[in-house]
Amino acid sequence: MAETIVDFNKPCIVGKEYDYMADSIRSSHISGDGKYSKLCHEFLENKLGIPRVLTTPSCSHALELSALLLNIQPGDEVIIPDFTFVSTVNAFVLRGAKPVFIDIRSDTLNLDESQLERLITEKTKAIVPVHYAGIACEMDTIMEIAGRYNIPVVEDNAHGLFGKYKNRWLGTIGCMATQSFHETKNFTCGEGGALLINDRSLIENAEIIREKGTNRSRFFRGQVDKYTWVSVGSSYLLSDILAGFLYAQLEVWEEIQAKRKWIWQTYHQELSDWAKKNGIVQPTIPENVEPSWHIYYLLLPDLDHRQGMISHLKANGVNSVFHYLPLHLSEKGREYGGREGDMPVTESVSDRLVRLPLYYDMGEIEMEKVLEAVISYKL
Ligand SMILES: Cc1ncc(COP(=O)(O)O)c(C=O)c1O
């Protein structure tokens, strides 16, 4: 019998994706904002209790849309965790902003709010917390500091859909939030995203920027009798075929989350003794936080052991990955003055983190195989 290989990820497929995509194609409205886009918008608006949701081609695009909406200008500063995906920073750098990196907390791997205030200057135009792995940032403190300086907060919630902070959904706390529906995420349509708009005063401009800088959305609602170019904009709509794919998954969101929670918690419990004995750090969930169960990671003692663990898992038929490289030490990040030692926590975590396979379709056989492979690694 062929040996089971455990993939790091398999895109979530629940079954109705094909039907809804076919229905979208039959409807002859396959561009953006057709039947399934509207269903996704309404579903997320109602579920999360947020005034407006707009699907986008990716989270990167939703972040770009947020930067345009905040009218970020060359020379503006935006505070971004050093430990995140490049899209968080690119969206603002595209508008000419200077990224100001902030180090992360060693427990949640989220931006360290105790360092936030000293990084704020007169040029700070946005703060972009990332709920790493779908575990909430310390939002009360972040919102209180941002509020005192009147700085908008955009939550990069690529990982965090249906996670909670003090009983509030992640993505509904800042003035805006961005979601990812990339194939690695809990809910997917291959490539996709959404902008969640909490601040009602931003809604109309968001619709305009997303529709190539035109007031087309107002035209479709019958509010104007012709549509025209009214501001700078781009095309940030998700095809309705992909929205159909996504809607099939949103409909069964509880089932998807329950499965991921089960895998996450099984890893956590089963690895707990081994981790303690070997000086391995498991994820921390602060009080009053409900994760979105997006990522299960381990922090090994050092880079050699992290690489050793990945090779050992591979040799045992388990694919695992690491991320992110510290942004301030990247080729581009160094242009903004990044030097070794500037962000000690990110630099250490980046060397030590390994992500274990975690996907909707994972069965007990795969989970057992991962657990056995991890525990048999000799430190
Ligand atoms: C924190 C974070 N932000 C943004 C993105 C970009 O998402 P997308 O691939 O949907 O553009 C990712 C992708 O993994 C991410 O991890």
Side-chain angles (χ1 to χ4, degrees):
M1 213 168 80
E3 198 207 346
T4 319
I5 301 287
V6 185
D7 292 319
F8 168 67
N9 179 58
K10 278 189 189 167
C12 176
I13 307 284
V14 295
K16 283 227 179 125
E17 289 88 349
Y18 305 95
D19 296 342
Y20 291 171
M21 284 196 297
D23 187 41
S24 171
I25 293 165
R26 276 193 301 269
S27 80
S28 297
H29 185 141
I30 58 173
S31 59
D33 287 352
K35 170 178 165 185
Y36 287 99
S37 309
K38 286 180 184 145
L39 284 169
C40 289
H41 297 167
E42 278 164 22
F43 177 88
L44 289 169
E45 284 161 7
N46 294 334
K47 184 82 239 149
L48 304 176
I50 191 134
R52 193 75 175 103
V53 173
L54 298 168
T55 44
T56 58
S58 68
C59 183
S60 306
H61 288 91
L63 284 159
E64 286 175 27
L65 179 49
S66 79
L68 280 160
L69 262 171
L70 294 179
N71 197 21
I72 299 293
Q73 295 294 317
D76 288 347
E77 293 178 4
V78 178
I79 300 177
I80 290 168
D82 195 40
F83 189 66
T84 183
F85 191 63
V86 288
S87 296
T88 321
V89 64
N90 262 330
F92 297 92
V93 168
L94 268 167
R95 310 254 47 85
K98 176 184 167 213
V100 174
F101 296 116
I102 179 166
D103 206 356
I104 53 168
R105 293 166 49 140
S106 55
D107 55 356
T108 58
L109 316 190
N110 286 326
L111 74 73
D112 180 354
E113 66 281 357
S114 71
Q115 300 189 29
L116 186 56
E117 197 158 358
R118 71 174 173 79
L119 295 176
I120 293 176
T121 71
E122 280 184 355
K123 292 185 180 162
T124 310
K125 292 290 151 46
I127 299 168
V128 192
V130 174
H131 303 298
Y132 178 71
I135 295 176
C137 295
E138 187 37 55
M139 289 310 286
D140 278 354
T141 311
I142 294 170
M143 293 306 290
E144 189 276 317
I145 296 170
R148 241 184 308 123
Y149 292 88
N150 210 9
I151 300 169
V153 172
V154 179
E155 297 172 71
D156 180 339
N157 198 31
H159 302 178
L161 188 58
F162 301 127
K164 282 186 171 173
Y165 171 80
K166 298 192 176 168
N167 235 2
R168 297 167 72 184
W169 296 109
L170 299 186
T172 65
I173 302 167
C175 65
M176 281 180 271
T178 62
Q179 298 300 150
S180 174
F181 302 118
H182 182 259
E183 73 170 22
T184 50
K185 301 302 185 293
N186 297 19
F187 305 90
T188 185
C189 55
E191 299 275 0
L195 184 70
L196 274 43
I197 308 171
N198 205 5
D199 177 346
R200 287 174 192 275
S201 70
L202 296 169
I203 295 175
E204 188 168 349
N205 270 348
E207 290 177 349
I208 289 171
I209 294 167
R210 179 169 167 270
E211 271 283 18
K212 300 91 182 162
T214 71
N215 54 357
R216 202 167 175 203
S217 302
R218 300 196 74 196
F219 172 71
F220 283 136
R221 285 198 293 262
Q223 292 164 330
V224 286
D225 55 10
K226 48 185 181 302
Y227 75 86
T228 181
W229 184 31
V230 292
S231 92
V232 64
S234 189
S235 183
Y236 291 131
L237 286 83
L238 181 72
S239 153
D240 208 60
I241 306 175
L242 292 179
F245 196 113
L246 178 63
Y247 187 64
Q249 306 197 356
L250 293 179
E251 270 188 329
V252 292
W253 73 277
E254 282 168 305
E255 200 181 296
I256 293 173
Q257 291 299 84
K259 177 73 185 286
R260 296 188 72 104
K261 180 176 180 177
W262 174 66
I263 300 166
W264 198 105
Q265 291 189 326
T266 307
Y267 279 158
H268 205 61
Q269 278 151 22
E270 298 295 316
L271 294 175
S272 157
D273 289 346
W274 167 85
K276 276 193 202 95
K277 237 181 272 154
N278 291 286
I280 309 288
V281 179
Q282 294 181 285
T284 301
I285 305 176
E287 226 180 289
N288 294 321
V289 166
E290 165 86 2
S292 67
W293 319 108
H294 177 51
I295 290 175
Y296 194 83
Y297 67 82
L298 296 171
L299 292 175
L300 278 289
D302 54 36
L303 178 63
D304 285 347
H305 278 304
R306 196 272 303 279
Q307 295 305 86
M309 175 64 93
I310 291 176
S311 307
H312 174 79
L313 293 179
K314 179 106 190 133
N316 285 278
V318 174
N319 290 313
S320 61
V321 298
F322 67 88
H323 72 177
Y324 302 108
L325 297 177
L327 283 173
H328 77 289
L329 295 180
S330 62
E331 205 177 314
K332 186 72 188 156
R334 284 181 192 266
E335 284 178 24
Y336 299 98
R339 282 168 318 193
E340 251 114 296
D342 284 353
M343 306 273 156
V345 184
T346 301
E347 288 170 38
S348 159
V349 163
S350 171
D351 277 352
R352 293 159 50 221
L353 186 140
V354 59
R355 293 174 62 182
L356 300 185
L358 172 49
Y359 52 89
Y360 174 65
D361 201 27
M362 206 166 172
E364 282 194 52
I365 294 175
E366 285 89 356
M367 256 169 49
E368 271 306 311
K369 190 163 169 136
V370 175
L371 288 168
E372 269 172 33
V374 170
I375 288 172
S376 63
Y377 177 70
K378 295 277 168 286
L379 280 114

